[in-house]
């Protein structure tokens, strides 16, 4: 239902509210870390610049949660999903990286397509429905941002870029 609303443009003209993006990401990381620990994994916020913006809390939280939960599902046992918020010149980059071996380069562009699931290991029994990253993409686009994925040493990193209304001092975690 959320994807359908996003695809139809129902959220394109939503009324935004002032949001503390840094706080939102910290809350998502804390919740995801709690869930990840039960699976022998962790989620850690490794760097967080201060950033506020105008946006829809529910949509942004959903987008970031979907990406983080996906990373937890695919990161290797005993490893951490690493999350950072980097603010520079009016933009915020949210980086979410796992240690799950990455995906074939030719498949990167398909990760955000609705119902797309990579390979047999990521079917409906072991993976999800293929909607989480598609919902994340549409929620980010509704905020005039971008989302992309790339392979990094030992895993996959998803980058969400959003406009900030204010930039502040960094806070290492």
């Amino acid at each position: 239902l959320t994807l359908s609303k996003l695809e139809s443009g129902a959220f394109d003209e939503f009324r935004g509210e002032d949001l503390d993006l840094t706080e939102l990401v910290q809350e998502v990381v804390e919740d995801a870390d709690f869930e990840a620990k039960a699976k022998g994994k962790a989620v850690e916020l490794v760097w967080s610049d201060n950033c506020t913006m105008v946006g829809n809390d529910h949509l942004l939280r959903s987008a970031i949660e979907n990406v983080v939960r996906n990373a937890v599902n695919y990161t290797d046992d005993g490893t951490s999903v690493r999350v950072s918020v980097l603010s520079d010149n009016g933009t915020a980059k949210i980086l979410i990286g796992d240690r799950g071996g990455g995906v074939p380069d030719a498949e990167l562009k398909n990760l955000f397509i609705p119902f797309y699931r990579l390979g047999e290991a990521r079917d409906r029994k072991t993976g999800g429905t293929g909607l989480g990253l598609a919902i994340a993409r549409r929620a980010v686009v509704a905020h005039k941002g971008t989302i992309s994925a790339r392979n990094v040493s030992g895993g996959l990193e998803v980058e969400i870029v959003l406009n900030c209304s204010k930039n502040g001092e960094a806070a290492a975690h």
Side-chain angles (χ1 to χ4, degrees):
L1 185 58
T2 300
L3 181 63
S4 178
K5 286 180 181 178
L6 286 166
E7 290 293 337
S8 72
F11 286 112
D12 286 349
E13 298 300 323
F14 63 82
R15 289 193 185 271
E17 57 188 313
D18 288 334
L19 297 175
D20 184 333
L21 184 62
T22 306
E23 184 178 308
L24 187 152
V25 172
Q26 288 170 342
E27 291 170 0
V28 169
V29 166
E30 288 171 10
D31 289 348
D33 185 54
F34 180 79
E35 294 172 18
K37 287 202 184 318
K39 299 177 180 181
K41 304 173 183 185
V43 180
E44 60 182 320
L45 186 62
V46 294
W47 186 264
S48 183
D49 288 338
N50 292 323
C51 177
T52 59
M53 64 177 293
V54 175
N56 181 293
D57 180 88
H58 174 73
L59 287 180
L60 284 175
R61 187 175 304 272
S62 175
I64 296 164
E65 282 178 345
N66 279 325
V67 176
V68 171
R69 284 198 170 111
N70 194 66
V72 169
N73 285 338
Y74 294 109
T75 200
D76 291 339
D77 291 342
T79 65
S80 294
V81 171
R82 297 171 50 93
V83 181
S84 299
V85 179
L86 308 171
S87 182
D88 185 40
N89 290 329
T91 63
K93 285 185 186 177
I94 303 167
L95 302 173
I96 301 158
D98 69 37
R99 305 294 293 167
V103 301
D105 286 338
E107 301 295 331
L108 288 171
K109 66 184 180 305
N110 298 325
L111 294 178
F112 302 99
I113 296 173
F115 305 109
Y116 181 80
R117 292 187 302 270
L118 179 68
E120 294 175 18
R122 295 186 178 200
D123 62 17
R124 203 172 274 207
K125 292 178 186 170
T126 59
T129 60
L131 288 175
L133 293 179
I135 290 170
R137 182 186 65 81
R138 285 302 299 149
V140 169
V141 168
H143 284 85
K144 299 185 181 10
T146 62
I147 186 169
S148 59
R150 65 181 159 268
N151 288 306
V152 294
S153 179
L156 185 73
E157 181 177 74
V158 174
E159 178 183 272
I160 298 171
V161 179
L162 298 164
N163 291 319
C164 284
S165 52
K166 298 179 203 170
N167 293 313
E169 297 176 14
H173 292 271

